[in-house]
Amino acid sequence: MGVDKIKSKILEDAKVEAEKIIAQAEEEKNKILEEAKKEAEKRRVEILKKGEKEAEMVKNRIIAEAKLEAKKKLLEAKEEIINMAINKLKEELHKLPEQPDYKDKLIKLIKDGAISLGGGELIVRLNRRDMELIDDATLWDLEKEIENVTKKVTVLKKGKSVDIIGGCIIETSDGLKSLDNSLEAIFERNLNIIRAKVTEKLF
């Protein structure tokens, strides 16, 4: 199953769950409002002797508080659904390195990271699996492509493996600069965009 299909399936499942939770939240909201109206009317009658105006004010205050509480519960339900969908997408990150086009994506991440750092002598850090996937010949080819963009002699060397799901971390040889292009770091950098898209799809 392709990445897009996986994402669609997650959002589709989340949407079904969202409808259930929202329905429950709406039911709870209506219950809160109904009980508040009964309580408000009861209180209004109780203090009617003190004056119609005061009774109406108490009634309106109780209903307003109930509306705020109902809205809060609805927002909490939506937030729960959004977080559930995002967590499922995070879990799918572990499957990305198994995709047929993963090597091409990894090469692009290395290239983009090296260009962002301006080329030169750079250390490429990968996880153990990807250390075997990216050979020296691949790095030599990348050096030329990076030099064409940065106009700077570039040397790419593999550093010690790192504990990441996939992607890469690029560092300058002096250790002063680094760019984290690991899959999890990219996900976190784009979390606001992902959240907005998930919200749009679900609601």
Side-chain angles (χ1 to χ4, degrees), residues 109-110 112-126 154-162 164 168-181:
L109 288 175
I110 295 171
D112 291 347
I115 290 172
S116 293
L117 290 176
E121 191 172 341
L122 303 170
I123 308 299
V124 180
R125 304 190 68 190
L126 308 162
T154 296
V155 178
L156 299 177
K157 295 179 181 178
K158 283 192 276 189
K160 291 182 180 179
S161 63
V162 284
I164 55 177
C168 61
I169 297 173
I170 312 292
E171 302 171 344
T172 54
S173 58
D174 58 13
L176 294 178
K177 294 180 182 178
S178 69
L179 192 143
D180 192 343
N181 260 355

Side-chain angles (χ1 to χ4, degrees), residues 11-27 74 77-78 81 84 201-203:
L11 292 175
E12 186 180 324
D13 292 346
K15 194 161 189 174
V16 171
E17 188 65 24
E19 288 171 358
K20 290 180 185 176
I21 294 174
I22 292 298
Q24 290 172 357
E26 286 285 356
E27 189 177 334
L74 198 58
K78 285 185 177 182
I81 295 159
M84 178 186 68
K201 290 281 185 184
L202 293 179
F203 307 110

